[in-house]
Amino acid sequence: MALIVQKFGGSSVRDADRIRNVARIITDTYAAGNEVVVVLSAQGDTTDDLIDKAHELNADPSKREMDMLLATGEQISVALCAMAIEKMGFPVVSLNAWQVGISTDSNYSNARIKDISEDRLRAELDRKNIVIVTGFQGVNRFYDITTLGRGGSDTSAVALAARLKADLCQIYTDVDGVYTADPRVVKEAHKLDEITFDEMLELASGGAQVLHNRSVEMAKRFGIQLEVLSSLDPKPGTIVKEVVKKVESTAISGVAKDDNVACISLIHLTDKPGVAYRIFSLLAQKKINVDIILQSIGRDSTKDIAFTVSKDVAEQAMQILEEHREELDFVGMDCDEKVAKLSIVGSGMINNPGIASSMFEALYSVGVNIRMISTSEIKVSVLVDLSDAEIAMNAVHDKFFRAKR
Ligand code: ASP
Ligand code: MG
């Protein structure tokens, strides 16, 4: 007997038919003799619809009230799924975060899980119940409902798996695994059998929207092996784990594209110590995450600094810098939202020189200009014009994977 945590995303529980389908997967797992804890997302576009509803009444609602609202989506899913399972004649109970005891900090809309109580979960499993838990939500020390950030149900699932020392954590979605690139953009993309936690993290921060980044961090920290698979097409998915044996000879595991990028440039800054420190500490104080940074070589005692942020915080970042224009002493500021970040990721890079140059060659071969470059041990990212992004992605994917298939 194993303890299995299964998470189903919004599209997997979109309507009654899909819920029945999920109920079958769950009850099959249970009937095979396993203890089963299930985490569900809100149905389909429910979370987006709730956000729209909120904005009809208030363009800038408090995060506390937003969490109060958004957490209802997951509660609908768990109750409906429990009813479907009940109807199939299996013992089941649905629980929200409050009933389980999933405690978080008070950072509404992006809360972090601090602790999960095992008591209620254990008691329900001992009663032989299938346990269905709301994803995405927690409770803070004021007994307020919090949420874990968009896509946070993955993190709920991994946290429960870690707490219960589950044997397996399966993340069911509407794709059948992790691909070498988004198959909607790159037709030749293929499914990976295995990928490491670090590669998955880099792919996710590079724009691949398969798993919530924090869920992967947590899985890595607690050594929880994940399986990403489809709820609609029952076949093995992609295993995410610490070390993988490379069956493929390529140094690269995948190519990711992120369109949610804005590039802000500060022009003619005085070339003196402390300027970069001041700019980025102002942004950090407002919790604005900066990604790629480029500083030009100084000339005529001035320099330029450009950096990327996600589109949703670009305006706020500009505003903060504008407020300090005099002190920072720059001549011009510009924000370009028509850009995309393209990243190649692979732990094989460490021992394989020439990976970056192959990527640049692929971009050159289709005439795509590189605006910025950044690298880490297992990733190379470039910033390109948005209009070039898809061609660039295909060219890069082709370069690394075509001969290998
Ligand atoms: N329902 C939430 C969202 O749409 C959480 C999740 O699905 O993981 O972001
Ligand atoms: Mg998701």
Side-chain angles (χ1 to χ4, degrees), residues 1-7 34-39 95 100-102 113 115-126 129-133 155-169 218 222-224:
M1 182 182 70
L3 198 168
I4 300 179
V5 173
Q6 297 182 320
K7 181 258 170 180
N34 301 298
E35 292 182 315
V36 187
V37 173
V38 175
V39 173
L95 299 173
V100 172
I102 301 177
I113 295 175
D115 192 24
I116 297 179
S117 163
E118 212 182 348
D119 301 351
R120 180 74 189 266
L121 290 168
R122 199 64 258 172
E124 298 296 350
L125 290 172
D126 289 346
N129 275 322
I130 295 170
V131 187
I132 319 265
V133 180
T155 299
S156 307
V158 176
L160 285 170
R163 184 67 177 99
L164 293 168
K165 300 192 176 59
D167 299 288
L168 185 61
C169 183
M218 194 182 287
F222 292 98
I224 305 287

Side-chain angles (χ1 to χ4, degrees), residues 7 151 154 210:
K7 181 258 170 180
D154 295 339
V210 192

Side-chain angles (χ1 to χ4, degrees), residues 9 68 78 100 161 165 171 174 183 190 204 214 216 221 224 236 272 291 294 306 317-318 328-329 333 361 365 404:
M68 189 74 174
V78 295
V100 172
K165 300 192 176 59
I171 310 283
D174 52 0
H190 62 274
R214 275 162 51 196
V216 185
R221 182 150 30 101
I224 305 287
K272 62 179 184 206
D291 187 17
L294 185 77
M318 299 263 285
L328 294 169
D329 194 16
M333 178 162 57
E361 186 190 353
S365 73
K404 314 286 174 359

Side-chain angles (χ1 to χ4, degrees), residues 275-334:
V275 174
Y277 159 63
R278 192 65 191 131
I279 293 170
F280 295 110
S281 64
L282 283 167
L283 298 173
Q285 275 161 24
K286 296 287 178 205
K287 295 205 159 35
I288 292 180
N289 243 324
V290 172
D291 187 17
I292 309 180
I293 300 175
L294 185 77
Q295 177 177 308
S296 70
I297 295 173
R299 49 171 154 61
D300 306 333
S301 46
T302 71
K303 62 187 170 191
D304 305 335
I305 290 182
F307 59 89
T308 64
V309 294
S310 64
K311 281 200 173 91
D312 44 307
V313 294
E315 215 180 283
Q316 195 195 354
M318 299 263 285
Q319 212 174 333
I320 294 163
L321 297 173
E322 192 57 56
E323 280 162 20
H324 294 80
R325 183 187 270 260
E326 221 161 289
E327 171 204 345
L328 294 169
D329 194 16
F330 54 86
V331 173
M333 178 162 57
D334 173 64

Side-chain angles (χ1 to χ4, degrees), residues 7 9-10 41 151-154 209-212:
K7 181 258 170 180
S41 288
S153 295
D154 295 339
Q209 290 171 340
V210 192
L211 290 172
H212 197 222

Side-chain angles (χ1 to χ4, degrees), residues 69-97:
L69 176 68
L70 296 190
T72 60
E74 273 65 16
Q75 196 161 325
I76 294 173
S77 295
V78 295
L80 290 176
C81 186
M83 291 172 194
I85 291 174
E86 228 170 57
K87 177 90 172 47
M88 294 167 76
F90 288 86
V92 61
V93 61
S94 69
L95 299 173
N96 64 18

